[in-house]
C-alpha cells in the first residue's frame, strides 16, 4: 500500500519525519506492506519548479489513495507564487474534499483549559467565504477601487446537505448528537439556507439528537461547556475558527488532527499551519500530524473493510495516547521540555512494544 508523503513548509518536514518513523514502526509490527513515497510541495517545489503544487505530484496523488499533507506556509511564499493555489487549496479543490473532520478531546496527562471534552467539528470545506474555493473561473474576492475590497460567500443546497449527512453519519458512530452552528439571524439567505438544509437532513436521522447554536454564542459555550457537544457541523470559516478554539481548549493547536474527505478519498492534514516561529528548532509537536495520519488509516480501513489496517490504526492511537499520558514526553507547547525528535523516538518505541 503506497502512501504519498508531502512534508510542506515550516515545521512540516520535522513533524513528517516523526510520522514517517511511526508508520515504519507500524508497518514492521502489522506487516502492512507500506511503501512511503516522499514528494516536495510548497516552498521546496517553488524553488525547484516554480509552483507550490507541481502537476506531476498532483497526478501522483490522483493515483495514490493515501496522502499525508504537511502545512502550507503560503504567507511566506514569494509574491509571484502567492496567487497560485497552495497545496491544500489545490488538493481540496481537485478532489472535492468537502468534509474537513476535526476532532478535539481532553486526554489523560495533557494540561487543558477544558475539564472534559470529546467533540468533532465537521467543517464544510469547499464553499463559504474561502475565495479560492468558490469559483469555476476568477476569484471570490475583488477590489472595485484601491480603497475598497469585497468578498463573496457561497452556500449551496447540495453543499449543505452533503456536509450535514457526513455529520449525522459520524454521530451514529459516536454519542448521537449533532449541533449545527450558524448565523442565520443576520445572514438570512446564506446561513438561512445552510440551516434549513441541515434541519431537513436531520429529519432522516430521528435517532440523532439535534440542536442549533448561533456562532457567537457557540464561541462562548465552547469555553464554558465543551462537554455538551458531540458532533458540530458548520460552514467553512466558522469551522476553521471554532476548530482552532476547540484544539486549544483540549491542550493546544499541536494536538489538532484533521482529515479532508470526499466519499471516495481522504487526505490527512493537521489543522495548524506551518508555525514559522518555531520551525527548524526541534520544538514542534508532531501529534496533530500523527492524529491526522491515524485518522486517514482508520478512514481507509473502514472504506475498504480492511481489518488489519483497522487494528494498526487502533494500535497507533493507543500508542500515541500512552506517550502523551507521560509529561516526560511533552513538547514545549504542552509545557514540557522534550523535542520533536525525542517525542518521535518514544512513539516509535511505544508502537513497537
Ligand atoms: P500556525 O497554526 O502555523 O501557528 C499558530 C501558533 O501555534 C504559533 O505560535 C505556532 O508556533 C503554534 N503551533 C502551530 N502548530 C504547532 C505545533 N504542531 N506544535 C507546536 N506549536 C504549534 O498559524 P499561523 O502562524 O497563523 O500561520 C503560519 C502559516 O501557516 C501561514 O503562512 C498560514 O497561511 C499557514 N497556514 C496553513 C494552514 C494549512 O496548510 N492547513 C492552516 C493554517 C495556517
Ligand atoms: Mg485554520
Amino acid at each position: 500500500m503506497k502512501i504519498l508523503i508531502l512534508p510542506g513548509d515550516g515545521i512540516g518536514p520535522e513533524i513528517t519525519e516523526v510520522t514517517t518513523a511511526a508508520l515504519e514502526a507500524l508497518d514492521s509490527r502489522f506487516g502492512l506492506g507500506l511503501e512511503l513515497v516522499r514528494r516536495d510541495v510548497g516552498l521546496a517545489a517553488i524553488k525547484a519548479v516554480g509552483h507550490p503544487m507541481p502537476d506531476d505530484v498532483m497526478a501522483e496523488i490522483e493515483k495514490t489513495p493515501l496522502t499525508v499533507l504537511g502545512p502550507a506556509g503560503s504567507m511566506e511564499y514569494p509574491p509571484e507564487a502567492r496567487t497560485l493555489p497552495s497545496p491544500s487549496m489545490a488538493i481540496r479543490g481537485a478532489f472535492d474534499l468537502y468534509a474537513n473532520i476535526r476532532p478535539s478531546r481532553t486526554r489523560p496527562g495533557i494540561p487543558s483549559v477544558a475539564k472534559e471534552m470529546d467533540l468533532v467539528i465537521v467543517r464544510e470545506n469547499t464553499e463559504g467565504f474561502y475565495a479560492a474555493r468558490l469559483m469555476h473561473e476568477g476569484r471570490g474576492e475583488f477590489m472595485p477601487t484601491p480603497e475598497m475590497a469585497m468578498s463573496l460567500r457561497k452556500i449551496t443546497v447540495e453543499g449543505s446537505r452533503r456536509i450535514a449527512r457526513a455529520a449525522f453519519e459520524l454521530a451514529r458512530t459516536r454519542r448521537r448528537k449533532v449541533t449545527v452552528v450558524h448565523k442565520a439571524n443576520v445572514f438570512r439567505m446564506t446561513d438561512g439556507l445552510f440551516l434549513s438544509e441541515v434541519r431537513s437532513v436531520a429529519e432522516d436521522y430521528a435517532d440523532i439528537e439535534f440542536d442549533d447554536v448561533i456562532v457567537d454564542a457557540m464561541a462562548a459555550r465552547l469555553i464554558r461547556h465543551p462537554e455538551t457537544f458531540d458532533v458540530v457541523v458548520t460552514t467553512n470559516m466558522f469551522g476553521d475558527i471554532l476548530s482552532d478554539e476547540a484544539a486549544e481548549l483540549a491542550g493546544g493547536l499541536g494536538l489538532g488532527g484533521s482529515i479532508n474527505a470526499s466519499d471516495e478519498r481522504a487526505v490527512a492534514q493537521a489543522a495548524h499551519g506551518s508555525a514559522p516561529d518555531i520551525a527548524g528548532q526541534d520544538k514542534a509537536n508532531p501529534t496533530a500530524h500523527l492524529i491526522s495520519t491515524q485518522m486517514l488509516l482508520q478512514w481507509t480501513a473502514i472504506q475498504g473493510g480492511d481489518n488489519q489496517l483497522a487494528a494498526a490504526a487502533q494500535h497507533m492511537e493507543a500508542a500515541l495516547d500512552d506517550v502523551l499520558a507521560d509529561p516526560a514526553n511533552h513538547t514545549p507547547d504542552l509545557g514540557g521540555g522534550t523535542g520533536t525528535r525525542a517525542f518521535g523516538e518514544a512513539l516509535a518505541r511505544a508502537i513497537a512494544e
Side-chain angles (χ1 to χ4, degrees):
M1 190 171 32
K2 178 172 164 184
I3 305 185
L4 205 53
I5 311 262
L6 313 173
D9 304 318
I11 59 171
E14 301 164 70
I15 57 179
T16 297
E17 254 176 55
V18 172
T19 299
T20 305
L23 286 172
E24 281 164 356
L26 210 57
D27 193 22
S28 345
R29 186 170 173 143
F30 286 85
L32 302 170
L34 298 185
E35 183 201 349
L36 306 178
V37 177
R38 210 187 123 131
R39 297 280 180 256
D40 282 342
V41 297
L43 263 179
I46 294 171
K47 282 182 192 144
V49 297
H51 199 294
M53 189 65 233
D55 287 343
D56 57 333
V57 180
M58 203 64 182
E60 200 170 352
I61 296 172
E62 187 153 17
K63 283 186 257 147
T64 315
L66 283 88
T67 300
V68 177
L69 176 62
S74 34
M75 303 276 276
E76 317 253 301
Y77 292 176
E80 63 280 9
R82 252 178 256 164
T83 51
L84 300 169
S86 74
S88 4
M89 284 178 204
I91 294 171
R92 289 176 199 186
F95 302 107
D96 197 26
L97 304 175
Y98 66 86
N100 187 198
I101 312 287
R102 297 187 156 181
S104 279
R105 63 176 167 93
T106 45
R107 291 158 190 274
I110 299 276
S112 60
V113 175
K115 280 193 214 65
E116 202 192 335
M117 70 186 275
D118 180 0
L119 60 80
V120 182
I121 295 193
V122 175
R123 164 195 179 194
E124 202 294 319
N125 212 14
T126 56
E127 306 190 333
F129 264 126
Y130 285 68
R133 300 177 197 173
L134 304 182
M135 319 288 281
H136 167 61
E137 236 184 300
R139 286 175 72 91
E141 248 192 330
F142 44 93
M143 294 184 75
T145 72
E147 288 78 35
M148 185 194 297
M150 308 187 94
S151 93
L152 293 175
R153 179 169 185 233
K154 175 169 113 185
I155 301 290
T156 66
V157 168
E158 189 40 38
S160 306
R161 296 187 73 86
R162 65 183 183 172
I163 197 66
R165 284 191 295 266
F168 282 97
E169 289 296 330
L170 179 63
R172 278 193 170 149
T173 69
R174 294 176 45 91
R175 301 197 309 278
R176 293 181 176 260
K177 182 179 177 193
V178 170
T179 302
V180 59
V181 174
H182 63 89
K183 187 80 183 175
N185 50 328
V186 174
F187 292 100
R188 289 165 67 170
M189 291 183 202
T190 44
D191 274 283
L193 183 65
F194 182 75
L195 178 59
S196 69
E197 291 307 321
V198 177
R199 275 190 179 140
S200 143
V201 169
E203 287 168 15
D204 297 336
Y205 292 87
D207 54 319
I208 308 286
E209 187 190 340
F210 173 63
D211 64 359
D212 76 276
V213 181
I214 294 174
V215 65
D216 30 0
M218 180 67 185
R221 243 178 80 182
L222 200 49
I223 291 170
R224 191 174 287 264
H225 283 303
E227 76 286 355
T228 58
F229 299 104
D230 179 18
V231 174
V232 174
V233 63
T234 189
T235 50
N236 202 337
M237 190 159 72
F238 295 161
D240 191 5
I241 297 168
L242 292 173
S243 57
D244 270 27
E245 186 186 341
E248 203 54 46
L249 284 171
L253 267 185
L255 305 171
S258 124
I259 53 169
N260 300 286
S262 69
D263 299 332
E264 284 81 39
R265 76 159 61 222
V267 170
Q269 189 185 27
H272 61 72
S274 58
D277 53 336
I278 57 165
Q281 298 169 36
D282 198 36
K283 284 183 185 164
N285 186 346
T287 302
H289 197 255
L290 289 158
I291 292 174
S292 310
T293 305
Q294 189 276 335
M295 289 172 72
L296 175 67
L297 298 183
Q298 191 182 39
W299 189 94
T300 309
I302 292 169
Q303 292 289 104
D306 184 336
N307 292 335
Q308 196 192 13
L309 189 59
Q314 204 170 20
H315 181 72
M316 182 171 173
E317 186 177 24
L320 191 53
D321 274 346
D322 280 351
V323 169
L324 285 169
D326 183 354
N329 294 321
H330 289 181
T331 43
D333 58 308
L334 300 178
T338 296
T340 312
R341 271 192 295 273
F343 182 99
E345 284 155 15
L347 179 63
R349 275 197 304 275
I351 290 174
E353 263 160 27

